Each structure stands twice: as structure tokens, then as C-alpha cells.
């Protein structure tokens, strides 16, 4: 029987690596998404990204997108949220903390520095089967398919369309009632193109209209 004895130097090296990893400043949405998945609590981020889905108030979720992908974060800055509009590019700084309600790692933004406006990205065309993987989650995407059902959700005050993609994959499109058609059931059977944000809820693939 072999017994391995690990020296204190080994543990010191491992601790140094983890500490250095945590103290590297995160620069892209892709890196921030990876850091959240790995639970790098205490890591700082400093992104240049476009706001695609703005917060309504402090503590709300904001969607940020750059050339590497997209990520959701929590807004805790001092800017008037009315100035954080879709398509506005900011330098965004913050830190990964434990989520107040979920208990999971969360990106908390505490600084938004305006860079320029009018930068809303073009939708990324994706297949429904690929929707909401690591590269499309929270990203502004486009999916095409046939509407198989449509109904109002009075509780959430939104209209939900069920779209069947050509590959046989179902996508749920959540559309705010104010921007939904007056008689959504009339679209059943129609071929549509839907733009929105990729979000996965359980086993369902969702697109939330902007």
C-alpha cells in the first residue's frame, strides 16, 4: 500500500494559484460567465459592454453583451436607470458575490461609465436546439419556426407563443402584452422569426422579447 505525503509547499502552491485566479480582473462577458460558473467569489470584473436589457431600478438584472458573448448581472450603481438604455455602451465594474436570495454566485455591478450610444447588436441567428447553451444564454438572438400555440398569461401580463423549429425543437417566446398582437391565436400556423434573449428555464428553451 502506497501512502502519499503532501508537503506544506504543495498546499502553499495550490493556495497561491487559487488566490491569483481570484485576483485576476475579468475583462470579457465570456470570462465573467466562466467565473460565475466556477464560483470565483470575490473576483473583480471590468468590462466594456453594451446594455441589451436595462434595469428598471437598483437591484434589477441587467444584460450585458460584448464580442465574446453575454452575461446577466445585478445593477447596484448610482446612475439614474433611465440613462442605462438598450444599445448604450458602458465600462462596467463590479465584483462576484454570493447572491442575496439565491445563494449562488452573482455579478454585482457598482459602476457604469458611459462610453457611447446607438450600439445595439444585431441578433445572432441560432438553431433552436442550440438555444441557451453557454454561447447564447442572455444573448440577443434570432430563431425561426412555426407557431403552434399562443396564449395570454394574465399573471405575468405577457403573451406566450410556442414555436416549433424545423429541427423539431420547441421554443417558448415570451412577449409583453403591450407589444403582443391583439389576437395572438391568429398567428398559429404562421412561420415567424423571433428576436429576443435566450433564457433556459428547466427543460424549456425561452426567448424573451426585448
Amino acid at each position: 500500500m502506497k501512502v502519499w505525503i503532501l508537503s506544506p509547499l504543495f498546499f502553499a502552491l495550490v493556495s497561491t494559484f487559487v488566490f491569483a485566479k481570484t485576483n485576476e480582473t475579468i475583462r470579457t462577458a465570456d470570462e465573467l460567465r466562466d467565473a460565475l460558473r466556477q464560483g470565483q467569489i470575490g473576483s473583480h470584473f471590468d468590462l466594456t459592454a453594451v446594455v441589451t436589457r436595462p434595469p428598471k431600478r437598483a437591484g434589477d438584472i441587467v444584460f450585458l453583451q460584448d464580442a465574446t458573448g453575454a452575461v446577466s448581472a445585478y445593477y447596484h450603481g448610482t446612475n439614474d436607470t433611465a440613462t442605462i438604455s438598450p444599445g448604450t455602451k458602458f465600462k462596467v465594474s463590479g465584483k462576484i458575490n454570493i447572491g442575496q436570495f439565491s445563494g449562488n454566485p452573482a455579478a454585482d455591478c457598482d459602476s457604469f461609465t458611459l462610453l457611447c450610444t446607438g450600439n445595439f447588436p444585431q441578433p445572432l441567428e441560432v438553431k433552436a436546439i442550440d438555444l441557451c447553451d453557454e454561447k447564447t444564454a442572455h444573448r440577443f438572438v434570432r430563431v425561426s419556426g412555426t407557431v403552434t400555440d399562443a396564449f395570454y398569461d394574465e399573471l405575468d401580463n405577457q403573451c406566450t407563443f410556442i414555436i416549433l423549429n424545423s429541427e423539431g425543437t420547441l421554443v417558448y417566446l415570451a412577449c409583453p402584452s403591450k407589444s403582443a398582437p391583439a389576437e395572438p391565436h391568429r398567428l398559429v400556423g404562421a412561420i415567424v422569426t423571433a428576436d429576443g434573449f435566450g433564457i433556459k428555464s428547466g427543460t424549456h428553451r425561452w426567448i424573451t422579447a426585448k
Side-chain angles (χ1 to χ4, degrees):
M1 176 180 176
K2 292 184 178 180
V3 178
W4 296 92
I5 299 176
L6 300 178
S7 69
L9 178 60
F10 172 81
F11 292 104
L13 289 173
V14 172
S15 299
T16 301
F17 173 78
V18 174
F19 182 78
K21 184 83 172 177
T22 303
N23 281 270
E24 291 177 357
T25 300
I26 297 164
R27 300 291 183 184
T28 69
D30 188 52
E31 290 177 358
L32 180 54
R33 193 173 55 247
D34 286 344
L36 287 167
R37 189 176 62 251
Q38 296 167 10
Q40 294 180 23
I41 305 301
S43 292
H44 291 266
F45 57 88
D46 193 359
L47 315 179
T48 297
V50 174
V51 171
T52 55
R53 190 175 186 181
K56 296 180 180 178
R57 62 188 68 84
D60 271 0
I61 288 178
V62 55
F63 287 1
L64 304 169
Q65 183 169 322
D66 63 12
T68 67
V71 66
S72 66
Y74 288 90
Y75 175 70
H76 297 288
T78 57
N79 307 59
D80 182 353
T81 52
T83 66
I84 306 177
S85 56
T88 306
K89 182 180 287 188
F90 287 90
K91 183 175 182 181
V92 184
S93 301
K95 183 179 177 181
I96 297 178
N97 297 309
I98 295 293
Q100 182 177 359
F101 300 106
S102 67
N104 297 320
D108 290 332
C109 306
D110 52 32
S111 174
F112 275 67
T113 303
L114 177 64
L115 297 177
C116 55
T117 60
N119 292 275
F120 200 91
Q122 292 296 312
L124 175 68
E125 294 194 27
V126 298
K127 296 180 179 179
I129 197 169
D130 297 326
L131 187 65
C132 306
D133 65 10
E134 286 297 318
K135 294 299 182 181
T136 61
H138 305 111
R139 193 165 184 165
F140 190 54
V141 296
R142 172 172 290 170
V143 173
S144 299
T146 302
V147 177
T148 60
D149 197 4
F151 55 88
Y152 276 113
D153 185 339
E154 295 182 2
L155 183 63
D156 292 329
N157 192 30
Q158 69 181 22
C159 182
T160 299
F161 296 91
I162 302 178
I163 301 171
L164 178 65
N165 190 263
S166 59
E167 295 129 8
T169 304
L170 289 178
V171 174
Y172 294 78
L173 170 65
C175 182
S177 293
K178 63 181 180 181
S179 56
E183 298 179 304
H185 63 277
R186 290 184 176 273
L187 287 178
V188 173
I191 298 176
V192 298
T193 296
D195 293 349
F197 303 101
I199 299 174
K200 190 172 183 179
S201 177
T203 58
H204 294 160
R205 292 173 170 83
W206 283 85
I207 291 181
T208 303
K210 71 183 182 73

